[in-house]
């Protein structure tokens, strides 16, 4: 007859014609009644609350640790399934969980004993990884795989962790105060540097402005000298031109006077010549006398 099982369990068929036994994880199988036997084993994920109470750490401080582990029989791995069947066939789920729990708790206690409280408390991830690694290598021989392990709680009865927390809190507060003081100091230093740079920049700017003003004044003075020189040259050239013009005017006036004087002399000479000509044209005296006498008779 046929038997079936879900994905969360496995069937083992043994007996006549089944050597070695047939293992099926999730499926169905034909079993011959009376001459063959079928058994089932759970493949459910088991949640284990792993507690280790008052375990002495490396420095002799007793602490209690609680971890949460997820484990299950690996039905897809034939070798692990065969090992699990040999270890747990005929046992209930609770019995399987108890065996896995005791194994995990033993590894957890062993790892706690090799660490300090500070290492466990401050680096929980590292502790969880160590327990997971060690427990997985041991439980795999039983056909059980560790799906996950998480450190849930760490506490002690002597207030060691509380004192450690207070010390840590005090250290954090101290670091905060130191950090605040350093921040204020750095802020003051930065402000002083900024003010110094501002003053230096201002002085530098003023120096640059003074240099620019000086260069401007020097260039302006040079330009003024050049302009004044050009003006003086222009004025001198103008005065010289005026003098030349006046001299030329005077020369022309002199020439005009010379011409006029020459003309006057010429006219005088002409007048003298005319008068001389006129005097030569007059009658002799006896002619006048004769005429006068004639009129008297």
């Amino acid at each position: 007859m046929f038997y079936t099982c879900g994905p969360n369990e496995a069937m083992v068929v043994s007996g006549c014609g089944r050597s070695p036994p047939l293992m099926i994880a999730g499926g169905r199988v034909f079993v011959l009644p009376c001459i063959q036997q079928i058994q089932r084993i759970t493949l459910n994920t088991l949640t284990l609350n792993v507690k280790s109470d008052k375990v002495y750490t490396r420095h002799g401080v007793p602490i209690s640790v609680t971890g949460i582990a997820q484990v299950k029989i690996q039905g897809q791995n034939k070798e692990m399934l065969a090992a699990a069947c040999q270890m747990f066939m005929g046992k209930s789920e609770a019995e399987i969980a108890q065996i896995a729990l005791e194994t995990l708790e033993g590894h957890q206690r062993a790892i706690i004993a090799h660490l300090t409280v500070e290492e466990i408390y401050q680096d929980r991830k590292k502790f969880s990884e160590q327990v997971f690694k060690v427990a997985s290598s041991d439980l795999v021989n039983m056909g059980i795989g560790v799906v996950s392990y998480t450190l849930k709680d760490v506490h002690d009865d002597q207030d060691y962790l509380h004192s450690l927390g207070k010390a840590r809190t005090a250290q954090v507060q101290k670091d905060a105060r130191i950090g605040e003081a350093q921040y204020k100091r750095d802020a003051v230093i930065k402000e002083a540097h900024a003010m110094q740079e501002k003053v230096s920049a201002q002085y530098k700017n003023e120096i640059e402005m003074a240099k620019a003003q000086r260069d401007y004044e020097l260039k302006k003075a040079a330009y003024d000298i050049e302009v004044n020189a050009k003006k003086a040259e222009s004025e001198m050239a103008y005065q010289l031109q005026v003098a030349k013009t006046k001299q030329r005017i005077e020369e022309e006036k002199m020439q005009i006077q010379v011409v006029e004087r020459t003309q006057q002399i010429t006219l005088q000479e002409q007048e003298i010549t005319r008068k001389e000509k006129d005097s030569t044209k007059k009658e002799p005296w006896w002619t006048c006398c004769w005429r006068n006498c004639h009129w008297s008779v």
Side-chain angles (χ1 to χ4, degrees):
M1 59 183 304
F2 284 97
Y3 290 88
T4 61
C5 65
N8 62 332
E9 63 179 349
M11 297 182 296
V12 180
V13 180
S14 59
C16 180
R18 298 297 184 183
S19 181
L22 176 64
M23 294 174 290
I24 298 175
R28 69 175 184 170
V29 65
F30 181 79
V31 179
L32 297 174
C34 298
I35 61 174
Q36 291 181 341
Q37 180 182 6
I38 183 170
Q39 294 174 290
R40 299 173 185 268
I41 186 170
T42 180
L43 301 180
N44 287 328
T45 299
L46 307 176
T47 301
L48 308 178
N49 194 17
V50 187
K51 291 184 177 181
S52 300
D53 294 327
K54 297 182 180 180
V55 181
Y56 286 91
T57 60
R58 189 171 66 187
H59 291 165
V61 180
I63 62 172
S64 298
V65 175
T66 302
I68 301 297
Q70 305 286 339
V71 300
K72 66 174 296 184
I73 296 174
Q74 298 295 332
Q76 302 304 321
N77 189 311
K78 298 298 182 181
E79 294 180 358
M80 293 183 67
L81 181 58
C85 290
Q86 292 177 4
M87 292 285 297
F88 306 117
M89 185 60 68
K91 296 183 181 297
S92 65
E93 188 174 291
E95 291 174 327
I96 297 172
Q98 184 62 34
I99 294 172
L101 177 62
E102 291 176 356
T103 303
L104 277 166
E105 201 274 334
H107 290 304
Q108 183 172 271
R109 294 177 69 90
I111 293 173
I112 292 172
H114 286 84
L115 298 175
T116 65
V117 178
E118 290 79 6
E119 290 174 339
I120 298 172
Y121 185 75
Q122 296 176 2
D123 197 349
R124 298 190 174 198
K125 183 179 179 181
K126 181 180 179 181
F127 176 79
S128 299
E129 290 175 351
Q130 290 184 2
V131 176
F132 179 86
K133 182 178 179 181
V134 175
S136 296
S137 62
D138 194 9
L139 289 175
V140 71
N141 295 325
M142 302 180 186
I144 296 176
V146 181
V147 179
S148 66
Y149 173 86
T150 304
L151 181 59
K152 180 181 178 181
D153 181 49
V154 179
H155 67 276
D156 68 301
D157 297 332
Q158 299 180 359
D159 289 336
Y160 183 87
L161 292 173
H162 181 67
S163 300
L164 184 65
K166 289 177 66 178
R168 179 58 182 166
T169 301
Q171 182 65 36
V172 170
Q173 292 176 350
K174 176 184 175 183
D175 294 341
R177 289 193 296 270
I178 293 174
E180 183 179 2
Q182 290 177 348
Y183 174 78
K184 290 181 178 179
R185 179 201 64 191
D186 295 341
V188 172
I189 292 173
K190 289 181 179 179
E191 184 177 359
H193 286 169
M195 182 61 65
Q196 182 180 0
E197 290 178 358
K198 178 181 178 182
V199 172
S200 298
Q202 184 176 357
Y203 287 160
K204 185 177 180 181
N205 187 35
E206 291 178 355
I207 291 172
E208 293 297 328
M209 290 178 63
K211 288 182 178 179
Q213 184 67 24
R214 181 201 63 189
D215 295 340
Y216 168 75
E217 295 294 339
L218 291 175
K219 289 182 179 179
K220 185 175 182 298
Y223 292 155
D224 290 342
I225 292 172
E226 184 177 357
V227 170
N228 291 332
K230 293 295 185 181
K231 284 184 178 180
E233 291 179 1
S234 177
E235 186 68 23
M236 290 178 65
Y238 173 75
Q239 295 295 335
L240 181 60
Q241 185 65 33
V242 170
K244 288 181 178 180
T245 302
K246 287 182 177 180
Q247 183 179 1
R248 188 166 54 251
I249 291 172
E250 293 296 329
E251 290 176 355
E252 290 179 356
K253 284 182 177 180
M254 291 291 293
Q255 290 178 1
I256 292 172
Q257 291 177 358
V258 169
V259 171
E260 289 179 350
R261 184 63 180 170
T262 303
Q263 289 179 353
Q264 289 177 359
I265 293 171
T266 303
L267 290 174
Q268 290 176 358
E269 291 177 352
Q270 290 178 355
E271 182 65 20
I272 293 170
T273 304
R274 185 184 63 78
K275 288 180 178 182
E276 289 178 353
K277 289 181 178 180
D278 289 341
S279 61
T280 55
K281 291 180 179 181
K282 290 181 178 183
E283 295 178 354
W285 60 272
W286 59 89
T287 303
C288 289
C289 290
W290 180 84
R291 185 181 294 113
N292 290 331
C293 291
H294 177 75
W295 288 103
S296 61
V297 177

